Amino acid sequence: DAGITQSPRYKITETGRQVTLMCHQTWSHSYMFWYRQDLGHGLRLIYYSAAADITDKGEVPDGYVVSRSKTENFPLTLESATRSQTSVYFCASSLGPYEKLFFGSGTQLSVL
Amino acid sequence: DQQVKQNSPSLSVQEGRISILNCDYTNSMFDYFLWYKKYPAEGPTFLISISSIKDKNEDGRFTVFLNKSAKHLSLHIVPSQPGDSAVYFCAASARAGTALIFGKGTTLSVSS
């Protein structure tokens, strides 16, 4: 199916482990984003990418790494997970940086 | 410092009545505003948007009003339906900016 898909849907990991959240879109959108949603904070931007091999930090980038070797994929890696990174992570894509975003269904991550 | 503020965490309305969700912003460079709707366990979905050159935009039961001088926008839902019960996020962007900035969200509950 066309659209934007995230995997896994749910993930439980332990403090200190490396975790990678996957995001794939089939629209050939140039821009892709990672947001996290936490109670009391709404949606906060972690990283975004304007095109393949171009990435930039958002509001809360510490502890995260991204890459974009192909236009359709935008994985998010937590190099050494911490409890404060327990959250719901949403990937999104758009035609431009200020255009409407299309979101995936989210990954619920728990760091124990 | 929050650039997009939704000061009401929740709103309860009866079916058939009007729902009014409010949003304030501080950045005068914002020129494009969007509302997203989010159901539990799903990603946010685009609802309606407005450019700063307009003061009103309608789409069916949904109308967004923009008051640039007050840096305020509102979403009106008329008539409200139980299926409208969700979290509503206000978002804003600037042509010179990099990505959408979201508010913390307002949870709307519509009772039948």
Side-chain angles (χ1 to χ4, degrees), chain A residues 24-52:
Chain A
H24 176 79
Q25 54 106 354
T26 60
W27 290 306
S28 299
H29 284 168
S30 296
Y31 281 79
M32 295 188 76
F33 308 81
W34 276 105
Y35 286 86
R36 59 178 289 176
Q37 183 192 10
D38 304 287
L39 277 176
H41 291 281
L43 291 161
R44 293 183 292 174
L45 181 65
I46 305 170
Y47 269 96
Y48 68 98
S49 168

Side-chain angles (χ1 to χ4, degrees), chain A residues 29-106:
Chain A
H29 284 168
S30 296
Y31 281 79
M32 295 188 76
F33 308 81
W34 276 105
Y35 286 86
R36 59 178 289 176
Q37 183 192 10
D38 304 287
L39 277 176
H41 291 281
L43 291 161
R44 293 183 292 174
L45 181 65
I46 305 170
Y47 269 96
Y48 68 98
S49 168
D53 298 321
I54 300 175
T55 62
D56 208 346
K57 296 178 181 179
E59 185 185 358
V60 288
D62 293 343
Y64 303 96
V65 174
V66 292
S67 61
R68 193 153 177 222
S69 57
K70 292 184 177 182
T71 301
E72 61 267 29
N73 297 322
F74 191 39
L76 176 73
T77 298
L78 289 67
E79 293 190 300
S80 179
T82 65
R83 290 194 181 89
S84 66
Q85 292 177 310
T86 292
S87 185
V88 181
Y89 291 85
F90 289 101
C91 179
S93 69
S94 70
L95 289 170
Y98 38 75
E99 302 290 340
K100 67 181 181 183
L101 302 180
F102 295 86
F103 284 86
S105 299

Side-chain angles (χ1 to χ4, degrees), chain A residues 9-10 31 33 35 37 40-43 45 48 90 97-106, chain B residues 32 34 36 38 41-46 89 93-95 97-105:
Chain A
R9 191 79 172 87
Y10 303 93
Y31 281 79
F33 308 81
Y35 286 86
Q37 183 192 10
H41 291 281
L43 291 161
L45 181 65
Y48 68 98
F90 289 101
Y98 38 75
E99 302 290 340
K100 67 181 181 183
L101 302 180
F102 295 86
F103 284 86
S105 299
Chain B
Y32 186 50
L34 306 89
Y36 280 80
K38 185 186 178 304
E42 295 183 10
T45 55
F46 170 76
F89 290 101
S93 70
R95 293 276 160 175
T98 52
L100 291 182
I101 305 296
F102 285 83
K104 293 183 178 182

